[in-house]
Amino acid sequence: MAAQQVRDGFTELYGTEPEGVWSAPGRVNLIGEHTDYNDGFVMPFALPHTAVAAVSRRTDGVLRLHSSDIDGGVVELRLDDLAPESDRNWTAYPAGVVWALREAGHPVTGADVHLTSTVPAGAGLSSSAALEVVVALALNDLYDLGLQRWQLARLCQRAENVYVGAPTGIMDQTASACCEAGHALFLDTRDLSQKQIPFDLAAEGMVLLVVDTRVKHSHSEGEYGKRRAGCERGAALLGVDALRDIPYGELDAALARLGDDEEAVRLVRHVVTEDERVEKTIALLESGDTRAIGPVLIAGHASLRDDFRISCPELDLVVDTALASGALGARMTGGGFGGSAIVLAEAADVETITKAVQDAFAGAEFTAPRVFEAVPSAGARRLV
């Protein structure tokens, strides 16, 4: 249905049918937060919420962009005028992909694009990565570029880092491009090796809820960049290429070497213990002990809240309320400073937990949260 609507919208806008329709999902990160830019481990899975794009090629060096989700008409850009950090609007994400492809030497000569997305914006669920990946996949197909999914993810990351100016890691784009239905993706962000881990909660009588606090965040604003710079400083102080190189068993010794540098101690401790939590989660899932990941999620939230200091009152309220109402585990997910939390629960407890969280937000006079089930879904693909 979405594919047909986007196809029809394209035809109405541009006066001709598109050459194809593609989709790319948002993602939720099960565990492994702020480890990707430290060469560490992450474990996202794709959501059923997607960005859908109808696209056709052009040969005149023009890029035309339109989103049914944004007020305004078609935005027309000349490819030769695309330049990093020249665009502060939503169009920077698809335009950045075109710029990155051309910078890498790929012969993209223009495109007409019509987009829509069901990925909640600002919720920490990678709405921007979904926009990037869906455009990258469409252009890869239309221009026969022959790029692998991981290569598309790399180019999309470059678009976000350089063109948009947001210092994000590689996880979001890789998840959108590479995830498989019914699985979580174990990604080593240093060598980009991947392993699909079966993750079928429904078969075990469980549900993973996403609670969108509706507190908006922006990675291109300063706090995310400060954390990344702080991690890089910690690695330099410890004489390693990245914090991933500090073994968990040597963490105490590493922290002792940092002395009274309190910020470096906190950031290093989070990253090293978070990588360990990813490995522990994989071991539990592969052994069939899925419920035992609950305490790992709880520990991850405490680390993000206390060491990385990127939680907020709304996220903490979700986690505390869910756990008090019988959840198996809960933690914030995404870049932080707002966005979403995840809650692992027995299916029978979902209604009770959801109501408790909604009531807690009302009692605190917070904006009502959006709560939905996260079902591990397929990665980016061509629909039409």
Side-chain angles (χ1 to χ4, degrees), residues 86-304:
S86 61
D87 187 350
R88 296 298 179 187
N89 300 306
W90 72 269
T91 48
Y93 297 102
V97 169
V98 176
W99 171 85
L101 284 167
R102 285 166 54 85
E103 282 285 298
H106 300 294
V108 176
T109 56
D112 287 337
V113 181
H114 173 55
L115 289 150
T116 190
S117 179
T118 58
V119 186
L125 303 174
S126 298
S127 57
S128 59
L131 286 182
E132 292 158 359
V133 171
V134 74
V135 171
L137 182 61
L139 296 176
N140 187 50
D141 287 354
L142 290 175
Y143 283 96
D144 294 320
L145 302 181
L147 295 168
Q148 300 296 310
R149 294 300 182 95
W150 67 268
Q151 293 173 303
L152 292 178
R154 272 289 192 215
L155 285 163
C156 289
Q157 183 199 17
R158 177 166 169 76
E160 188 146 352
N161 288 173
V162 180
Y163 194 89
V164 178
T168 55
I170 190 66
M171 173 180 67
D172 296 351
Q173 294 84 0
T174 305
S176 185
C178 300
C179 279
E180 295 181 3
H183 293 75
L185 177 68
F186 171 49
L187 173 66
D188 181 333
T189 65
R190 170 163 284 172
D191 63 12
L192 298 188
S193 60
Q194 302 177 18
K195 185 177 183 181
Q196 301 286 345
I197 309 294
F199 191 54
D200 185 359
L201 292 177
E204 299 186 60
M206 286 178 287
V207 167
L208 191 77
L209 296 174
V210 173
V211 182
D212 175 6
T213 65
R214 299 187 186 270
V215 177
K216 300 299 182 186
H217 69 97
S218 174
H219 283 165
S220 56
E221 292 172 2
E223 292 299 324
Y224 186 100
K226 288 179 185 176
R227 299 307 187 280
R228 181 167 186 163
C231 289
E232 291 168 353
R233 186 175 72 87
L237 289 170
L238 293 168
V240 294
D241 291 336
L243 293 182
R244 181 260 182 74
D245 295 314
I246 305 297
Y248 179 71
E250 298 175 17
L251 175 60
D252 289 344
L255 297 182
R257 288 165 55 200
L258 294 171
D260 59 0
D261 190 332
E262 186 256 353
E263 180 190 50
V265 166
R266 288 189 291 99
L267 298 180
V268 170
R269 183 166 55 213
H270 167 72
V271 173
V272 176
T273 58
E274 187 77 348
D275 275 336
E276 172 71 8
R277 282 186 284 272
V278 176
E279 294 188 291
K280 187 172 184 178
T281 298
I282 292 167
L284 290 168
L285 291 177
E286 291 187 331
S287 70
D289 195 6
T290 304
R291 283 172 175 81
I293 72 172
V296 184
L297 303 183
I298 297 169
H301 183 75
S303 184
L304 290 162

